[in-house]
Structure formats: structure tokens, C-alpha cells
Amino acid sequence: MSNIEQSSTAFNRFQNLWSSYADLRNAAAILEWDQLVNMPPGGSEARGEQLATLNRIAHEHLVSETMADAIAQAEASEGRPDRPQTATQAALRVARREHDRARRVPADLIAEMARTTTAAYTAWEAARSEDRFTLFAPLLARLIDLARERADALGHQGERYDALLGDQEPGLRTSQLRALFAEVDRGLQPLLQSITDRPQPGRPLFHRTVPESEQLEAGRWAVTAFGFRWRDGRQDRSTHPFMTSFAPGDVRMTTRLSADDFASGFFATLHECGHALYEQGIPDAYRRTPLAQVPSLSLHESQSRLWENCVGRSLPFWKYFQPQLARCSGTFRNASAEDLWRACNRVHRSLIRVEADEVTYHLHISLRFELELALLSGDLPVSDLPEAWNDASVRYLGLRPSNDHEGVLQDVHWSGGGFAAFPSYSLGNILTGIWMEAAESELGNLDRQITEGDFRPLLQFLRHAIHSRGGWDTTEELVQRVSGGPLTPEPYLRRLRVKFNELYDL
Amino acid sequence: MSNIEQSSTAFNRFQNLWSSYADLRNAAAILEWDQLVNMPPGGSEARGEQLATLNRIAHEHLVSETMADAIAQAEASEGRPDRPQTATQAALRVARREHDRARRVPADLIAEMARTTTAAYTAWEAARSEDRFTLFAPLLARLIDLARERADALGHQGERYDALLGDQEPGLRTSQLRALFAEVDRGLQPLLQSITDRPQPGRPLFHRTVPESEQLEAGRWAVTAFGFRWRDGRQDRSTHPFMTSFAPGDVRMTTRLSADDFASGFFATLHECGHALYEQGIPDAYRRTPLAQVPSLSLHESQSRLWENCVGRSLPFWKYFQPQLARCSGTFRNASAEDLWRACNRVHRSLIRVEADEVTYHLHISLRFELELALLSGDLPVSDLPEAWNDASVRYLGLRPSNDHEGVLQDVHWSGGGFAAFPSYSLGNILTGIWMEAAESELGNLDRQITEGDFRPLLQFLRHAIHSRGGWDTTEELVQRVSGGPLTPEPYLRRLRVKFNELYDL
């Protein structure tokens, strides 16, 4: 039985199989959410076993001969054009891709990666806390070897990074990223230079002690205004904020609060809400089908950053939200909308990616992209990585880390075998420029709507243009649909220039 | 790889398969806990699908030819005596039983039962709220037919109730229950009569408004004193209190609070804690093995009722707990230990099972047992059930319901196809008598330990005698091990007589 429109018997047979696979994946996601939000410490070992079993069974289901046959039969019956014309064709394109990729990687390699990442995470934690990169180096070297093996198993045309990029960004090429990122670097460097030449604002307004209940209340007020449906989701607290979805009607976001930094928890809340709004906007008819899966990490990230940065860090938002915030918390009662807006848009060169502002963020990603490519190609031996990182920090950010803790050891990603994931964050930012330009051209005075606290037109636009498509399109196809043009960083750079010219009186 | 001691290759192969089955079952339990504790309303439909898939895959795994073969090979290798001598034999006995029972019931019948119970639950809710039994009657009749079919599929020697009883009480016969229950009825009726002849205490002490935070605090204080390990579990709130376990290190209990009845939430908390202590006491080495499963519902219920009634409703407990309660809540500051003890032990004839006291509770069960037998045998047509219920109420409880809401429609069990489940509640009470007598004879002055708030000796006794056995023994085998004698209600009746003679000055 299919949730997708009229379809053939062959498609229904495929969809039946896929439903079980989707249920297993979502069940695993529920176990993971619980692990991070509720699980008592004593449950940890058993939970690892339960997740391993669910993931193994889901994988076996996906790569089974039954599934292979069902996909092939459904393709024969529904047609398989390059660009899907129907929902069933689009669903099959996603399924084919996921099935083929899963089958290409040998079980031994998957097992070896799982073992190595477990050891590597422990080594990374130790290296980081002792500031000794050498503790992590051998495992990182092994992970790079395994990533190469995996890239070769997945298949590529010379550029291994392409294969790995496919985990997050189906269809995107490394060569495209190189060109895109170079263009963004060229746009941001002069902007950053102009800003840092200007006098900096005074004390950071948000660094005051705000009771947790008031922080939560402010965040909930904002995400409710954005349109988060509490009937179809919830918010909890966890060490690291994240969003996960088990169905369009059950979307969970978490946040963390910092006692003496209101902005940290508040913008994490807006960010996760952006992810959550996307998931809540996927049509319920796509539930358990391949179309319930979001096409790329960058697309997801573009939703979180749109609400966090393009909305949440805008002056119109603070004009609307200043009185609401004053209602939730007395702490900022005397701050004007403009004070608050300036406070959440301070730009400065810094070493830590996760603390970076909108202008410098991408430079952290370019640095990682450059080094990942060099590591994977073998041009950069792991032993030279810390020095290469520090040199690149000077080139991209104008700062040299004084130790590896604030340098090469700051991110967890590589220890989990996650190469080629960082670019999605920048791509997400780049995409926000395209979506916002399209929204403004369709909605007219978006700023006024936001100032009035009316976020419905923007959400409706995103629902219609992006969320309701689910997994239909690749990222580039969706850009084409929405903007009529190719994936370009120009709108993104334009927005930043306008915003920071105003903020810094450039 | 087995968590159970040294074992054969064949057993290890079996245990490997069983681990996946256990993981799937525990994953489903996590989804169910989340559904009742956290899930937003919008997640309901997807959750139903996810649970159906997990349960289906777990069932397929259990009844598979691979499992059948693995069990048979392991039995051949480990031996299969009537009474297991080793942990591997005990594990295989549990697995054999579960596997055989699951294979005997045809998939069509399972599906038909699932469909019918869904409709029956809705019909029962409607019948109850409109006080019209006829709305529920046809579905109840259908469920009885299906229960008969299922009993025949499971196999029995003439008494269908035996087969159904096996769901909760492996090895127990209906004929044993008849004799046990008749003896308890004969013991309780005169006690109840003597009590109701005495003057009743005044206003119910616990019916005062107590802030929820104070109620929670009091409950948490008590269960912490009992020995609940918070590292290996948690407590939440839900509409109906329940306990569930995903591993000995992850045991979850819930409670509900009533704004104007402290006792309701407090004793629910102690009750669920009793269940939880059992699960936390199952050896971690049994995790994912058949021995992690508790042998019977009555055994589980005996643990909850021991802590709720034998401990929580005892004078020694209130001597210990009165000052602790005064610390948690000012509401009962002026009540003495004896006041509190009397308040939680008021005996009166009533129509509603879940509100019944220790003396009348069993009579509600005897009533249901009698009627279930008559329904299943066909001696009692469904159309005559309400009248039969009301007549039986007079016989057992001395009261006639004025409507079906407080009569035959009060319990949810039958609407879920749950026949032969009520007796386990009474059996659990009967077992508490045996455990407490054994504990007292081993520990010496248990009353003094409880008065001093030292619950460790009692918990250690239960851990050693019962919890650490996991699924080794049938209920009767365990009674034999602990008491050296057969399953008898005498210790239970003796305890009640001593307690209520003192309370009512008989």
C-alpha cells in the first residue's frame, strides 16, 4: 500500500518493502533521541546493542535481493527518466541511489570503520584534553585510509572526495565546490577587512545571567511565532542541540542553555526550529516513502540558518521580538531592538568555528575543505596536519592557534570518519541567499511582515517551494525550480554586504 | 557470543539469534514508553506503524526456521531435562516455550485479533461513557470466540482457560487456581465481615490538596530509600502508571498524581518501584538472553505489591516515613505515624477493583475469574453478562452496581482480548505472603529494620532469592526453592489477619 498517489502494483510492492525499512530507521532515530535526552547512564551498553541490531536489520533489508528486485520491477513499470516526472519516479530515484550506495560498500569495511571510529573518538577526546595531537594521529591516518577505500568502493571518476560528498550532497561535484568556495572567499575577505578596520561595539549585551526558565520561555515564544506546531513535535534539552524527526507529525528539537550567555541557547533554539519546520512541512503522504527523506544536508542546513540568521539576526525580527523578550525576561528590558540586533551580529576574527559569526563562518569551512582534500589525496601527511592547519588559519582568518585544542582538534567530525561533511554548512548558508531573494521577490515586503511578527507568508513560501517537495529534487534541481537559475553565491554575498554595511556603517 | 557462562557452540549460535530478537523487543518497548510519556499527539499514526513493523519483524525472527533449528541444536547439545540444571538449559526452556507458542497461533488469527481489539477498545470506551453495554457486547462475543480459537491453537487438555493462562502464568492450571481462590475467598469473607461490623475511622486523612512537587518529592524519597538505582532508571509521569525495562541498567517507571489524593500517587509510585526493583535486580549477565524475562506476571506483581502493601502500608514503614514525609510536605506535619498507617488501610466494600483495599481486592478478582470461565466455556452468553456480574458482585462484595459503568464495563482488559490475566493480580498478593514469611525467617527483625529505614536487608533477600534468578524457574519452582513448600495462600491470609486484627481491634 503506497502513500504516494496512483501507482502500479510493482511500485506498491516496492513501497511495502520500503515502509518497513523506513520504520526501522525511524525506530533507530527514536532510540537515539532517547539516548541523548532521557537515557539513564546505566542504559548505555544495552542501547548500543539495540541500535546496532536495528541498524543491521535495516541495512540487510535495504541491500536485500528482495529489495533489489522490487526496485528494478518498479522502475520497469514506472519508467526511469533522468529527471523524474512523477512522485513514484522521484521516490525510485532516491531508493535506487540509497540501495546502490549501500550495496557497494563491503560489510567488512563497514565493520572496520565502526571499530576504528569508536577508538578514534576516544583518542580524539584524550588528544584534545591533553592537547597532544599525536594521540589522535595514527587513528586519523587509519580513518583516512578507510575513507579512501570507501570512496573507491562507492565509485568516482578520479576525485575520491566526490564519492564521499555524495553522503550528504547527492549530485554535487568537488570541482563545483572549489569554484563556489573561491568566489565566497573572494567576497568575504574584503568585507571582513573593512569590518575589522572599524571600531568594535562595546560589551557583549547578551552576556548576562538569565534564569533558565526565562531563556526557555523566550525561545518557545519565538519558535511558536515562527510556526512550530507543538501538536506535531516537542522541545527538550540535551548537551548538544539537535533536531530529529520520526514522521512529519513527530519532530523533536533540543536546545541547551548557557547560564551567562542568552544568545547561545536562543540562537541554537531558532536554528533547530528551522530544521524542525522543514520536517513538519514534509507532506504526510510521503511518510514511510523515500520522498520523506530530505535530499541533502545543505538543504536542511539552509532551513536552519535561514531562520537563525536571515530572520533571527535581522533588525525587523528584533523590532518585533524586543517587547516579547522583555515580557519573558526582565534582563533585557532596557535594550532597544537595535541594541539587540547589534549584539547578535558582532563580527570578529576567531579560531573556533562553532563560535563564528556570519561573516567569518565560511572561512572556517574553506580551511577544512582545503585540508580534507589534501589529506585524502595524500598531498598532506597526517603528521604535517597541525602545522598546515595553523598556517591555513593565518591565511583564512588572520590568526594562528596557540595550541591544537583551538586548532586542528576542535571538531569532532573527523574522529567519526566524517570527511566531506563540512562543506554542507557553507552550502546551507549560500542557499539561504537564494531562498531569501526568491521569498522577497514573491512576498513583497518581507521585512514589514517580520517586523509585525507575521511569519506565515515566509513559512508558506518555504512550505510551498521547498518543504512540500520532500525528496523530489536534488539540491541543484530545487535551486533551478525556485530561482530559475544555477547554484550561485551571489545573493548570499549581496545579503551579507547590505546587512554588514548597515551594521558597521561601511 | 553468549552472556551466559561457558556454553556450547550450538548454544552460542542460538544466543546470537536470540540477542537480535531481544533487541527488537526492547526497541519496541522503548517506542511504547516514549508513546506514553513523550510523544506529541501528531506522532500517533506513524508510531502505530513503527511498532507494528518492529513487532512483526520480532515475531518473524522468533518463529523462523533458523530459530527453530538453533533451539533444537542447542537443546541437543546442552541437554533438555524437565527441570533445568544449568543456565543454558533454563534459557532454552524459556526460548522453547516462547517459540512453540508463537508458532502455534496462525498469522491470520493474530491479524484478526488485532483488528477486533482495535474496534473493541473503541466500542468499550463508547459503551462505558454512554453506560450502554450493548454497544460493546457484539465485539466482546467476537473476542471470546477468537480467544477460544487461540486456546485451541495453543493446545490444552480440555480446559481452554489453561491455554490462555499460559500467557501470563506458565505451568499453572485452572484447577489449581480454583482451589487457591476458593481458599482465599473462605479466609477473607469472615475477616471482611468482622471489619465492616466495626466502627469506621473518620475523614480520609490523605484527601487533602498537596502540591505536585511535594508529592513527587515524597515518592522519590521513598523509592530511593527502597533502593531504586537512579543511575539505572528514571521516573516520569503518565496517564496510567506503569513500569517498563529495556535492560537491567535502564528501568523506567511512571506515576500519576492526583491533586486531592496523596495516597493515590504515592502508592502507585511504591507499586511501580517494586516492579522496577525486580528488573534492576536481574543479573546484567542475563541481558539479551531468555533469562532476562521474568517467568510470570504474578511473580512480577508479587514484587510490586510486596513493596506497596507489605512494606508501604505497614506501621513500621510509617514510623520511619512520617518524619520524612513531614520534611517533603507540610500538609501531613501533624499526622502521627499511626494516623498515616490507619489512613492508608481503610477497608470498605466497594464496586471498583482499582480502588479496592487489601482485604476486598481478591474478591474482585474471584468475581472476574468465575465470569471469565463461564464466558469461555459458553455457560454464560454475553447478553447475560451484566446481570451475572451484578449478581456476583452481591455474592462477593455485598453490593450491587447501579449501572454497568461501575459494573461490567469498569475494566479495559477484555476489550484488549486479555482473558485469564486478572488471576495474576491475586496470585501476586498470595505470593507476597510466601516471600515475606521467608524474609522474616531469614532476616530476623524485619519490622525493626523497616522502622529504621534500612530496606537493604529486605532488598538483598529479594535480590538473592528472586530477582537474581531471572527466568530460571517457573513460579511454583521458585516458591519451592524459597519456602521449601508448595504454592499456598496460608501465609498471605495469616498476614492479613494479623494486620487487620490490629488495625480494627478485632
Side-chain angles (χ1 to χ4, degrees):
Chain A
M1 213 169 46
S2 159
N3 285 323
I4 303 183
E5 61 191 36
Q6 289 287 324
S7 48
S8 61
T9 314
F11 184 84
N12 289 345
R13 180 173 159 251
F14 153 75
Q15 177 50 43
N16 248 332
L17 282 176
W18 193 269
S19 296
S20 297
Y21 171 64
D23 287 338
L24 286 163
R25 291 270 305 259
N26 284 316
I30 295 167
L31 266 61
E32 283 164 351
W33 176 87
D34 179 84
Q35 184 171 32
L36 295 170
V37 173
N38 290 313
M39 194 185 73
S44 158
E45 199 173 339
R47 185 59 53 89
E49 294 160 349
Q50 291 150 358
L51 276 167
T53 295
L54 285 189
N55 288 328
R56 179 179 53 74
I57 294 175
H59 179 81
E60 286 168 3
H61 202 78
L62 176 64
V63 301
S64 68
E65 281 308 312
T66 320
M67 181 69 86
D69 181 63
I71 294 174
Q73 300 275 341
E75 283 170 344
S77 168
E78 300 286 331
R80 193 186 171 184
D82 264 2
R83 184 84 181 253
Q85 303 303 311
T86 65
T88 52
Q89 289 169 353
L92 287 167
R93 180 171 69 165
V94 174
R96 160 65 60 202
R97 191 172 182 283
E98 192 160 335
H99 171 78
D100 285 354
R101 282 179 71 88
R103 275 174 86 114
R104 284 192 199 121
V105 183
D108 286 354
L109 179 53
I110 295 174
E112 175 65 11
M113 286 185 65
R115 275 190 298 273
T116 312
T117 52
T118 304
Y121 179 76
T122 310
W124 170 75
E125 276 194 316
R128 194 162 181 252
S129 82
E130 298 180 32
D131 194 29
R132 282 174 60 196
F133 177 75
T134 49
L135 295 179
F136 179 47
L139 284 152
L140 179 58
R142 180 75 191 121
L143 284 173
I144 291 166
D145 284 344
L146 292 169
R148 286 197 193 113
E149 260 187 71
R150 187 161 164 273
D152 292 343
L154 287 168
H156 54 84
Q157 286 150 4
E159 184 102 69
R160 281 183 175 131
Y161 202 85
D162 279 349
L164 303 179
L165 200 54
D167 289 338
Q168 285 79 234
E169 304 297 331
L172 202 75
R173 294 303 195 81
T174 312
S175 52
Q176 290 173 274
L177 270 187
R178 278 203 189 86
L180 272 173
F181 282 11
E183 190 177 342
V184 179
D185 292 346
R186 277 195 304 275
L188 290 178
Q189 288 291 5
L191 180 62
L192 176 59
Q193 193 55 54
S194 322
I195 290 171
T196 48
D197 288 345
R198 304 287 301 170
Q200 290 299 307
R203 71 182 167 80
L205 177 61
F206 285 124
H207 288 199
R208 299 186 194 170
T209 305
V210 182
E212 293 194 337
S213 61
E214 295 178 13
Q215 293 194 47
L216 280 174
E217 172 74 5
R220 285 180 192 206
W221 186 290
V223 302
T224 306
F226 285 177
F228 182 81
R229 297 193 308 264
W230 294 98
R231 191 191 172 282
D232 297 327
R234 50 182 285 140
Q235 184 194 38
D236 294 87
R237 294 172 64 175
S238 61
T239 311
H240 300 287
F242 68 98
M243 188 284 312
T244 181
S245 166
F246 320 134
D250 194 351
V251 177
R252 317 253 175 126
M253 52 187 186
T254 71
T255 194
R256 59 143 165 57
L257 303 177
S258 161
D260 55 4
D261 182 3
F262 173 82
S264 157
F266 184 72
F267 287 101
T269 299
L270 303 195
H271 181 96
E272 300 310 330
C273 175
H275 284 302
L277 289 172
Y278 191 0
E279 294 287 341
Q280 288 192 337
I282 292 175
D284 196 55
Y286 292 173
R287 199 172 76 226
R288 309 171 92 201
T289 78
L291 295 184
Q293 284 163 241
V294 166
S296 70
L297 178 54
S298 63
L299 206 45
H300 228 305
E301 202 65 15
S302 76
Q303 300 305 298
S304 56
R305 286 171 189 242
L306 186 149
W307 290 99
E308 178 194 356
N309 291 335
C310 306
V311 177
R313 287 192 165 90
S314 74
L315 185 55
F317 173 75
W318 285 102
K319 284 182 183 161
Y320 155 69
F321 200 65
Q322 187 275 336
Q324 324 304 333
L325 178 59
R327 201 174 306 173
C328 300
S329 169
T331 312
F332 305 108
R333 201 183 300 120
N334 299 321
S336 71
E338 194 172 318
D339 290 341
L340 295 160
W341 174 58
R342 288 187 182 279
C344 66
N345 282 298
R346 297 178 72 236
V347 173
H348 63 295
R349 299 177 192 272
S350 73
L351 289 164
I352 306 297
R353 177 183 60 87
V354 295
E355 293 167 8
D357 51 75
E358 280 188 84
V359 176
T360 55
Y361 189 88
H362 168 77
L363 305 171
H364 292 266
I365 301 300
S366 272
L367 177 161
R368 285 155 179 77
F369 177 57
E370 177 188 315
L371 296 178
E372 280 183 340
L373 285 169
L375 286 168
L376 281 163
S377 69
D379 290 346
L380 175 62
V382 166
S383 54
D384 293 349
L385 175 61
E387 200 51 31
W389 181 289
N390 295 346
D391 292 346
S393 282
V394 175
R395 264 187 292 119
Y396 283 106
L397 298 158
L399 295 173
R400 174 173 287 270
S402 59
N403 57 54
D404 292 338
H405 186 101
E406 57 181 28
V408 69
L409 291 173
Q410 69 181 270
D411 294 310
V412 69
H413 301 58
W414 291 342
S415 77
F419 299 98
F422 288 117
S424 299
Y425 300 147
S426 270
L427 270 176
N429 283 328
I430 291 169
L431 290 170
T432 61
I434 296 169
W435 310 146
M436 287 300 286
E437 197 165 82
E440 274 157 2
S441 109
E442 180 159 324
L443 302 177
N445 202 335
L446 182 54
D447 278 358
R448 191 178 45 71
Q449 291 158 8
I450 293 179
T451 305
E452 288 168 2
D454 183 7
F455 302 95
R456 281 170 307 179
L458 177 59
L459 181 59
Q460 278 315 313
F461 169 82
L462 296 170
R463 286 267 190 266
H464 177 75
I466 299 173
H467 307 178
S468 66
R469 299 289 295 173
W472 263 77
D473 319 283
T474 66
T475 307
E476 286 179 283
E477 286 167 2
L478 194 62
V479 167
Q480 185 73 42
R481 271 183 72 92
V482 173
S483 72
L487 177 53
T488 160
E490 280 170 30
Y492 169 61
L493 289 170
R494 265 199 298 276
R495 283 189 65 80
L496 286 186
R497 280 192 204 103
V498 169
K499 175 174 177 175
F500 289 94
N501 283 351
E502 191 181 347
L503 270 159
Y504 282 88
D505 202 16
L506 301 177
Chain B
M1 210 172 46
S2 158
N3 285 324
I4 302 182
E5 60 192 36
Q6 288 286 324
S7 48
S8 62
T9 313
F11 183 84
N12 289 344
R13 180 173 160 250
F14 152 76
Q15 177 50 43
N16 248 333
L17 281 176
W18 193 269
S19 297
S20 297
Y21 171 64
D23 287 339
L24 285 163
R25 290 270 305 260
N26 284 316
I30 295 167
L31 265 62
E32 283 165 351
W33 176 86
D34 180 83
Q35 184 171 33
L36 295 169
V37 172
N38 289 313
M39 194 185 72
S44 158
E45 198 172 339
R47 186 58 53 90
E49 294 160 350
Q50 291 150 358
L51 275 168
T53 295
L54 284 190
N55 288 327
R56 178 179 52 73
I57 294 175
H59 179 82
E60 286 167 4
H61 202 77
L62 176 63
V63 301
S64 68
E65 281 309 311
T66 320
M67 182 69 87
D69 180 63
I71 294 174
Q73 300 274 343
E75 283 170 344
S77 167
E78 300 286 330
R80 193 186 171 184
D82 265 2
R83 185 82 180 256
Q85 302 302 310
T86 65
T88 52
Q89 289 169 353
L92 287 167
R93 180 170 69 164
V94 174
R96 161 64 60 202
R97 190 170 182 285
E98 193 160 334
H99 171 79
D100 285 354
R101 282 178 71 88
R103 275 175 86 114
R104 282 190 201 122
V105 184
D108 286 355
L109 179 54
I110 295 174
E112 174 67 9
M113 287 185 65
R115 275 191 297 274
T116 311
T117 52
T118 304
Y121 179 76
T122 310
W124 170 75
E125 277 195 314
R128 195 163 180 250
S129 82
E130 297 179 34
D131 194 29
R132 280 174 61 196
F133 178 75
T134 49
L135 295 179
F136 180 48
L139 284 151
L140 178 58
R142 180 73 191 124
L143 283 173
I144 291 167
D145 285 343
L146 292 170
R148 286 197 193 113
E149 259 186 71
R150 187 161 163 273
D152 292 343
L154 287 168
H156 53 84
Q157 286 150 4
E159 184 103 67
R160 282 185 174 127
Y161 202 86
D162 278 350
L164 303 180
L165 200 55
D167 289 339
Q168 285 78 234
E169 304 297 332
L172 203 77
R173 295 301 195 81
T174 312
S175 53
Q176 290 173 276
L177 270 187
R178 276 202 190 86
L180 273 172
F181 283 11
E183 190 177 343
V184 179
D185 291 345
R186 275 195 306 275
L188 290 178
Q189 288 291 5
L191 179 61
L192 176 59
Q193 194 55 54
S194 323
I195 291 171
T196 48
D197 288 346
R198 304 287 301 170
Q200 289 299 305
R203 71 179 168 81
L205 177 61
F206 285 123
H207 288 200
R208 299 187 193 169
T209 305
V210 182
E212 293 194 337
S213 60
E214 294 177 13
Q215 293 194 47
L216 281 174
E217 172 74 6
R220 284 179 194 208
W221 186 290
V223 302
T224 306
F226 285 178
F228 182 81
R229 297 192 309 263
W230 294 97
R231 193 191 170 280
D232 296 328
R234 49 182 286 142
Q235 185 194 39
D236 294 88
R237 294 172 64 176
S238 61
T239 311
H240 300 288
F242 69 97
M243 188 284 311
T244 182
S245 166
F246 319 134
D250 194 352
V251 176
R252 316 253 177 128
M253 52 187 188
T254 72
T255 194
R256 59 143 164 57
L257 303 177
S258 161
D260 56 3
D261 182 4
F262 173 81
S264 157
F266 185 71
F267 286 102
T269 298
L270 303 195
H271 181 96
E272 300 310 330
C273 176
H275 284 303
L277 290 172
Y278 191 0
E279 294 286 343
Q280 287 192 336
I282 291 175
D284 196 55
Y286 292 173
R287 198 170 78 227
R288 310 171 91 201
T289 78
L291 296 184
Q293 284 163 242
V294 167
S296 71
L297 178 54
S298 63
L299 205 45
H300 228 305
E301 202 64 17
S302 75
Q303 300 306 297
S304 56
R305 288 173 189 241
L306 186 148
W307 290 98
E308 178 193 356
N309 292 335
C310 306
V311 176
R313 286 192 165 90
S314 73
L315 184 54
F317 173 77
W318 286 101
K319 284 183 182 161
Y320 155 70
F321 200 66
Q322 187 275 337
Q324 325 303 332
L325 178 60
R327 202 174 306 174
C328 300
S329 169
T331 312
F332 305 109
R333 200 182 300 120
N334 299 320
S336 71
E338 193 172 319
D339 290 342
L340 294 161
W341 174 56
R342 287 185 184 281
C344 65
N345 282 297
R346 296 178 71 237
V347 174
H348 63 296
R349 298 178 192 274
S350 74
L351 289 164
I352 306 297
R353 177 182 61 85
V354 295
E355 293 167 8
D357 51 74
E358 280 188 86
V359 176
T360 55
Y361 189 88
H362 169 77
L363 304 171
H364 291 266
I365 300 301
S366 272
L367 177 164
R368 284 154 180 77
F369 177 57
E370 177 187 314
L371 296 178
E372 280 183 340
L373 285 170
L375 286 168
L376 282 163
S377 69
D379 290 345
L380 175 62
V382 166
S383 55
D384 293 349
L385 176 60
E387 200 51 32
W389 182 289
N390 294 346
D391 292 346
S393 282
V394 175
R395 264 188 292 118
Y396 283 105
L397 298 158
L399 296 172
R400 174 173 286 271
S402 58
N403 57 54
D404 292 339
H405 186 101
E406 57 180 29
V408 67
L409 291 172
Q410 69 182 268
D411 294 311
V412 69
H413 301 59
W414 290 342
S415 78
F419 300 97
F422 287 117
S424 299
Y425 299 149
S426 269
L427 269 176
N429 284 329
I430 291 169
L431 290 171
T432 61
I434 295 170
W435 310 146
M436 286 301 285
E437 197 165 81
E440 275 156 1
S441 107
E442 180 158 325
L443 302 176
N445 202 335
L446 182 54
D447 278 359
R448 191 177 46 72
Q449 291 158 7
I450 294 178
T451 306
E452 289 169 1
D454 183 7
F455 303 95
R456 282 170 305 180
L458 177 58
L459 182 58
Q460 278 315 314
F461 169 81
L462 296 170
R463 286 267 189 266
H464 177 74
I466 300 173
H467 306 178
S468 65
R469 299 289 295 172
W472 263 77
D473 320 283
T474 66
T475 306
E476 286 178 285
E477 285 167 2
L478 194 62
V479 167
Q480 185 72 42
R481 270 183 72 91
V482 173
S483 71
L487 176 54
T488 160
E490 280 170 29
Y492 170 62
L493 288 169
R494 265 199 299 276
R495 282 189 66 80
L496 286 186
R497 280 192 204 103
V498 169
K499 175 174 177 173
F500 288 94
N501 282 351
E502 192 183 346
L503 270 159
Y504 281 88
D505 202 14
L506 301 177

